[in-house]
Amino acid sequence: MDATLPILILAIPLGMFLVLGLAGYKMSHKLAGTLGCLGMGTTLVLAYVTAFTYFFSGSPEFVDAAGNRLQLLVFDHTWLAFTDKLVIKLGFLLDPISAMMLVVITTISFMVHLYSMGYMRDHHGVFERGFQRFYAFLSLFSFSMLGLVVATNIFQMYIFWELVGASSYLLIGFYFVKPSAVSASKKAFIVTRFADLGFLIGILILSFYTGTFNFTELTSAPVDGIADVFRVSEGTAESVRSIFLSRSSAAPVFLGGSVLTWALVLIFMGGMGKSAMLPLHIWLPDAMEGPTPVSALIHAATMVVAGVYLVARLFPLYLMETTALEIVTWVGALTALYAAVVACAQIDIKRVLAFSTISQIAFMMVSLGVARPEVHEGLGYMASMFHLFTHAMFKALLFLGAGALIHAVGSNDYTAMHGLRKHMPITNWTFLIGCLAIAGIIPFSGFFSKDEILSSCLGNSTVVYVWMSLVAGLTAFYMFRLYYLIFWWKEHKVHEGHHAPHDQPWTMTLPLVVLAAVSVVAGFIPFGKLVTWNGEPYDFMAHFDWSVAGVSLFVAVAAIALATVMYRKENELPAKFRAALPALWTWAHHRFYWDELYMFITHKIIFNGICRPIAWFDRQIIDGTMDAFATLANKASRAIKPLQSGQVQLYVWWYLLGALVLGGVTALCLL
């Protein structure tokens, strides 16, 4: 494959960032927005062409005679060389999951670019301050995510991983005059940096023992006869594992875990931070302080799935260490339930969607954690990637729909949004489609991907299956609670002097319609024939478990029915429920006090209990001792200052006295 298109996919967003960042302030708002949209639109076309070529061209570079998907190193240039083997390269790896992510990232990014042309201006058509800067940051983020998913080695991924963190910091804190936005951006940056430290340590441990950063050397084997083409290989992963086993006498074992296990767990720690898994989830709800298009781009479809993508990229290694996969499973399961419960008690529309995102990302993690080749041929891996794809579409739809509502009403609080279905019919129907998709109602896309996740859970563990089925039911409940409270409940009252809410301009409405259409049909994509963990096609419709699907559908419908009874019309049931379970409601509404716990640990224990005594010791003891030496030296100098009289006779007497003292000391020592 010619490298021109892949290079342009990375170069165009980077170029747009440089142009808009350096010269955007000299452009009109409309010109800057148009350039940003054209740049991302061009990238979208190139990414689609690249992905289509990979999946459907039938080239021997992409698929072998048996129909197995292959990996192609389009280009891979050396950047830094530490040893003959340990080198850092920058390149472009094209395989099923990277091709899929090219489609996801560019689709959502283009929709957000177009949507922002309408969202980032007021009702009078006046663009927001910093509009050009906003589009520059969007382009930088898109470039960073694209560079991350096509990385040929884990260190290149880490470089772009950090660049994603930096660009998300800029976007979350876009409203830099707003203290809550500044605080949220710093919170996101700091929390994810702690996670990334574990990621870096894991990379260093893995590379120290294996002598490589390259994904193809860690998880794949070369295809004979074709240069730069590889296939995923369990044998390669087993060989990597044997390196650690053969050096077990020299390698440390910590808490009963092997070095490889801990390396993979530490790498997963980076994914926990980016994907907002417990206990590193606290940054994501506060990140909603950024503009709503940012929430759709970063926190619905791209940045938050980076952790899932990381585990998927190294999945053959994780298969060799099932302990690490068990950790992935239970971290995901706990996170999914926690986030679903909290979402049921939020009143801010964006925070409901934020906790929904945390829960759905946890679904993907659980699916990867339970995936085994012996269980439906590794169905969990395919199901996770399938849900990543479908979730990106309907969650971006929900966030952009939320943005349209916020733009029309001027508030994030659902209590200001009752009865909007008559005022905003397009937003109503598209938002409903998003809710049906995430609830897992047939024939919407979420039904198929979520069913496959539950099937893989059932094949691995009944406990995990029941657990995740409960989470799926809660998902349907809180999403339709949100839908009814916004669009039904009671008639919306237009305050005097305010315009009645209405559907937004076409730049905001068109992305909603497009994403709604994708959310309807995406479930029928033969995903198993395109993306599997080892490249072998899997016809999941032929193995579709209707019993699991039936139970899942029943749970979703029952949850929706409950939400309908409680929230379709104004009634006393929600208040009675809160009164019946006041402690649970209070704890869920306050996110189970995780933020307060972190504040207690950081301020009371670390700052006041540890740092302040250390600071006192530094000031009083260390600095005090040095100051005492200086004081004594000054006093001694003042005391002997009179001896410098200029009288030679006096100097001779002092010389003789010193000689006598020195002689006496010498004599005593010799005796």
Side-chain angles (χ1 to χ4, degrees):
M1 181 180 192
D2 186 71
T4 303
L5 290 186
I7 291 174
L8 289 175
I9 290 172
L10 298 175
I12 292 175
L14 178 60
M16 285 296 102
F17 164 68
L18 295 174
V19 170
L20 295 174
L22 297 175
Y25 69 99
K26 295 183 178 180
M27 304 178 185
S28 66
H29 296 83
K30 187 170 291 186
L31 176 60
T34 303
L35 283 177
C37 291
L38 286 175
M40 187 47 57
T42 305
T43 306
L44 171 75
V45 172
L46 297 178
Y48 272 55
V49 170
T50 301
F52 185 88
T53 302
Y54 176 81
F55 284 124
F56 303 111
S57 69
S59 171
E61 294 179 317
F62 307 138
V63 61
D64 63 16
N68 302 317
R69 302 282 171 189
L70 304 175
Q71 300 173 317
L72 173 65
L73 282 176
V74 180
F75 62 88
D76 199 28
H77 299 296
T78 299
W79 180 40
L80 294 173
F82 299 105
T83 66
D84 293 339
K85 291 185 176 181
L86 196 60
V87 298
I88 299 177
K89 296 183 177 183
L90 298 177
F92 194 107
L93 177 62
L94 190 59
D95 71 345
I97 57 174
S98 64
M100 176 206 65
M101 289 300 297
L102 288 178
V103 173
V104 170
I105 295 168
T106 55
T107 300
I108 304 302
S109 185
F110 177 69
M111 293 296 146
V112 167
H113 275 72
L114 182 61
Y115 181 92
S116 298
M117 290 288 288
Y119 185 88
M120 299 299 287
R121 64 172 89 182
D122 61 22
H123 294 286
H124 303 288
V126 179
F127 289 95
E128 290 198 24
R129 179 186 176 188
F131 183 83
Q132 301 94 327
R133 173 169 53 89
F134 178 75
Y135 269 85
F137 292 165
L138 286 181
S139 297
L140 176 63
F141 179 85
S142 301
F143 163 72
S144 305
M145 272 304 304
L146 290 169
L148 188 156
V149 299
V150 301
T152 61
N153 61 84
I154 196 168
F155 216 96
Q156 179 186 344
M157 178 181 281
Y158 182 79
I159 293 170
F160 282 95
W161 188 279
E162 295 302 314
L163 192 55
V164 166
S167 51
S168 67
Y169 167 82
L170 296 172
L171 286 168
I172 295 169
F174 175 75
Y175 298 124
F176 60 86
V177 296
K178 188 178 177 184
S180 58
V182 175
S183 177
S185 64
K186 291 190 291 185
K187 188 177 185 179
F189 191 81
I190 292 170
V191 172
T192 53
R193 292 296 75 70
F194 275 105
D196 295 348
L197 176 61
F199 184 17
L200 178 60
I201 295 172
I203 292 173
L204 296 176
I205 293 173
L206 186 64
S207 62
F208 175 79
Y209 284 96
T210 61
T212 184
F213 294 119
N214 297 335
F215 292 130
T216 53
E217 295 180 28
L218 293 170
T219 62
S220 308
V223 175
D224 295 334
I226 311 178
D228 298 324
V229 176
F230 301 80
R231 61 163 53 90
V232 172
S233 170
E234 285 187 84
T236 301
E238 181 63 40
S239 298
V240 170
R241 182 171 180 264
S242 67
I243 295 173
F244 292 84
L245 295 176
S246 65
R247 298 180 61 175
S248 59
S249 60
V253 176
F254 183 69
L255 296 178
S258 69
V259 179
L260 180 58
T261 298
W262 279 105
L264 295 176
V265 169
L266 287 167
I267 289 172
F268 172 61
M269 182 178 172
M272 289 170 60
K274 278 289 190 288
S275 295
M277 298 289 101
L278 283 172
L280 302 173
H281 67 286
I282 60 170
W283 67 270
L284 185 60
D286 290 348
M288 298 300 111
E289 294 292 339
T292 303
V294 172
S295 302
L297 178 63
I298 296 179
H299 311 123
T302 52
M303 175 181 169
V304 290
V305 301
V308 179
Y309 182 84
L310 173 62
V311 177
R313 173 59 70 194
L314 294 173
F315 186 72
L317 289 184
Y318 279 92
L319 277 180
M320 297 299 107
E321 292 292 328
T322 55
T323 302
L325 278 183
E326 290 292 332
I327 293 173
V328 172
T329 301
W330 285 107
V331 168
L334 291 169
T335 303
L337 181 60
Y338 160 80
V341 171
V342 172
C344 293
Q346 301 302 303
I347 62 174
D348 186 307
I349 182 174
K350 289 177 70 175
R351 279 176 169 75
V352 173
L353 295 178
F355 280 102
S356 172
T357 298
I358 295 173
S359 185
Q360 295 302 301
I361 298 298
F363 255 95
M364 304 172 202
M365 286 293 192
V366 170
S367 189
L368 286 173
V370 299
R372 302 289 189 277
E374 63 272 17
V375 180
H376 302 301
E377 302 175 28
L379 171 65
Y381 180 97
M382 186 278 296
S384 177
M385 297 298 100
F386 194 15
H387 198 58
L388 187 158
F389 180 84
T390 60
H391 173 265
M393 303 303 165
F394 59 68
K395 183 54 64 69
L397 166 64
L398 291 168
F399 264 111
L400 295 182
L405 294 165
I406 294 169
H407 200 263
V409 177
S411 173
N412 292 17
D413 194 330
Y414 70 73
T415 58
M417 301 180 182
H418 300 316
L420 291 179
R421 69 188 187 282
K422 296 180 180 179
H423 300 278
M424 305 177 70
I426 298 176
T427 307
N428 171 42
W429 284 107
T430 54
F431 201 91
L432 177 59
I433 289 172
C435 290
L436 291 168
I438 196 173
I441 301 299
I442 193 170
F444 300 94
S445 58
F447 167 79
F448 297 96
S449 58
K450 190 171 292 185
D451 176 78
E452 296 308 303
I453 291 176
L454 294 176
S455 294
S456 62
C457 290
L458 181 61
N460 184 281
S461 169
T462 304
V463 174
V464 176
Y465 166 71
V466 174
W467 185 294
M468 299 310 294
S469 296
L470 172 63
V471 175
L474 287 172
T475 302
F477 173 79
Y478 68 68
M479 286 307 305
F480 274 84
R481 167 184 177 266
L482 181 66
Y483 171 74
Y484 285 126
L485 287 172
I486 293 172
F487 294 100
W488 291 75
W489 194 249
K490 58 185 178 183
E491 290 298 318
H492 179 81
K493 294 181 180 180
V494 180
H495 298 288
E496 187 176 352
H498 291 262
H499 297 287
H502 56 82
D503 282 317
Q504 300 304 301
W506 72 269
T507 54
M508 296 176 66
T509 302
L510 180 60
L512 297 181
V513 174
V514 171
L515 291 171
V518 175
S519 299
V520 173
V521 303
F524 297 98
I525 296 174
F527 207 82
K529 296 182 179 180
L530 304 176
V531 180
T532 57
W533 78 273
N534 58 0
E536 297 179 6
Y538 180 84
D539 188 1
F540 72 88
M541 290 303 298
H543 300 85
F544 196 82
D545 193 336
W546 285 104
S547 62
V548 175
V551 172
S552 173
L553 191 60
F554 172 79
V555 170
V557 171
I560 293 172
L562 178 61
T564 303
V565 172
M566 293 182 65
Y567 297 105
R568 185 175 180 270
K569 295 181 179 179
E570 189 174 7
N571 60 81
E572 297 180 353
L573 286 177
K576 290 181 178 179
F577 176 79
R578 289 195 296 270
L581 298 169
L584 177 61
W585 174 267
T586 302
W587 277 69
H589 183 67
H590 290 90
R591 314 177 194 177
F592 287 85
Y593 297 98
W594 273 100
D595 287 85
E596 288 78 2
L597 175 62
Y598 272 94
M599 291 295 289
F600 175 79
I601 293 173
T602 54
H603 285 72
K604 298 294 185 181
I605 297 178
I606 298 177
F607 293 164
N608 293 338
I610 300 175
C611 296
R612 187 164 290 179
I614 292 174
W616 179 89
F617 182 84
D618 179 64
R619 287 194 303 271
Q620 303 299 325
I621 306 302
I622 305 299
D623 286 353
T625 302
M626 296 299 104
D627 291 343
F629 285 145
T631 301
L632 289 174
N634 286 331
K635 289 184 177 181
S637 67
R638 292 192 188 97
I640 65 175
K641 184 179 179 180
L643 299 177
Q644 301 294 324
S645 61
Q647 297 179 11
V648 177
Q649 298 90 337
L650 187 62
Y651 293 164
V652 172
W653 281 111
W654 280 112
Y655 175 79
L656 293 174
L657 180 62
L660 290 172
V661 171
L662 181 62
V665 173
T666 304
L668 288 174
C669 293
L670 293 174
L671 292 176

